[in-house]
Amino acid sequence: MAITLTLLFIALLLFLGLKSVCAAYAGGTSAGRRTLSKLSRWEQKRADAWAAFPLKQLLALTARLVYLDEATAVKLRKTLSKAELNITPQEYTARKVLTGAFGICLTALCLLSRFYFGIVVALLLTVYLLMRQRDALNAKVRKKDFQIAQEMPRFVRTICRSLQSNRDLESVIGAYRKVAGPELGGELDILLAEMKSGNVQTALLHFEDRLGSPEAFRLCSALRDMSLGVDQTATLSYMADDMARQARENVKKELSLRPGKMRRTYYPAIGVCIAMILYVLVVYVIHNLNSIV
């Protein structure tokens, strides 16, 4: 029974791999469009899974029982805010706890059924879900940081050039906000709101802390000094030239990474070939074992 289930599982993986490769190869066909539509719906379902009726109440109950020290909670809250996830650190940790509990229950069920291969699958599935949750958060943070880092040279260069003719910092930043990208634009909205309602020095400190990049530190330091009446003309001019050089370096780096991205398209085909070889080997070994017995 276990051998039959194992073979069926391997055959299912092989079928799904071949279907994915064929869909990717014929992306312009109606089958490819249907596959993309299904993947989009699955992504929406995964995004709303924790908001479903049983999980939402269970998540809220588990979050009340989760304990996090203050330093860990502050660090995780900052990361969640940067990833634009509207959940608390306790809720994020509760998701990990529930995922682990689900894996333990599934493993116990397979153990009671004496489905030993299912135990391995359950453990691997649990590890995959936990790693996927962690990687999803890190991927959102990295994506936002990357897009802001790509735009920072243009932002710094524009601000520095504009301040040479217009010393009104709020109007200069507001003018750039109209052409800013969505990620940096959101940070600029917060910066402008704090500048209008509070102290410019405090607003720049918060902006520098949220971005956490060397470019933001250099720019905010010069802007704070300028708001205090210190002449920063030479500093802003040098910074504008430096950002122009960095923008050219970013373009060269992006062009150098494209051949590596093209090679990743071969990985599904390689995975399918390995699965085919393993399937043949498993069938051959099982057949020989049956002959011996």
Side-chain angles (χ1 to χ4, degrees), residues 58-175:
L58 188 59
L59 181 63
L61 178 62
T62 308
R64 297 176 184 174
L65 303 176
V66 171
Y67 171 75
L68 294 175
D69 59 90
E70 186 176 355
T72 303
V74 170
K75 183 179 179 181
L76 186 55
R77 186 179 295 108
K78 184 178 179 181
T79 304
L80 292 172
S81 176
K82 204 169 189 179
E84 298 179 353
L85 293 177
N86 297 323
I87 59 175
T88 63
Q90 288 76 14
E91 289 176 346
Y92 179 78
T93 307
R95 290 184 179 186
K96 291 184 177 181
V97 174
L98 292 178
T99 302
F102 168 75
I104 293 175
C105 294
L106 188 60
T107 303
L109 182 62
C110 294
L111 183 62
L112 293 176
S113 303
R114 295 184 179 182
F115 181 34
Y116 300 113
F117 183 75
I119 297 176
V120 178
V121 174
L123 292 175
L124 292 177
L125 178 63
T126 304
V127 173
Y128 167 75
L129 291 176
L130 291 173
M131 293 180 64
R132 186 177 180 279
Q133 182 178 353
R134 181 201 62 187
D135 293 341
L137 177 62
N138 294 336
K140 290 183 179 180
V141 174
R142 285 196 303 268
K143 181 181 179 181
K144 184 175 181 179
D145 289 342
F146 175 76
Q147 292 178 347
I148 291 178
Q150 290 294 106
E151 190 176 354
M152 276 301 292
R154 180 167 66 96
F155 169 66
V156 175
R157 187 171 68 250
T158 304
I159 296 298
C160 293
R161 297 297 188 196
S162 300
L163 287 174
Q164 293 178 3
S165 58
N166 182 8
R167 291 293 177 174
D168 188 355
L169 180 59
E170 185 177 331
S171 65
V172 169
I173 296 177

Side-chain angles (χ1 to χ4, degrees), residues 271-293:
V272 171
C273 293
I274 294 175
M276 293 174 63
I277 296 173
L278 290 177
Y279 179 77
V280 174
L281 289 177
V282 169
V283 173
Y284 178 75
V285 171
I286 293 175
H287 177 72
N288 287 341
L289 289 176
N290 292 333
S291 300
I292 294 174
V293 175

Side-chain angles (χ1 to χ4, degrees), residues 40 118 172 200 209 229 266 269-270 293:
S40 178
V172 169
V200 175
D209 182 63
Y266 304 145
I270 296 174
V293 175

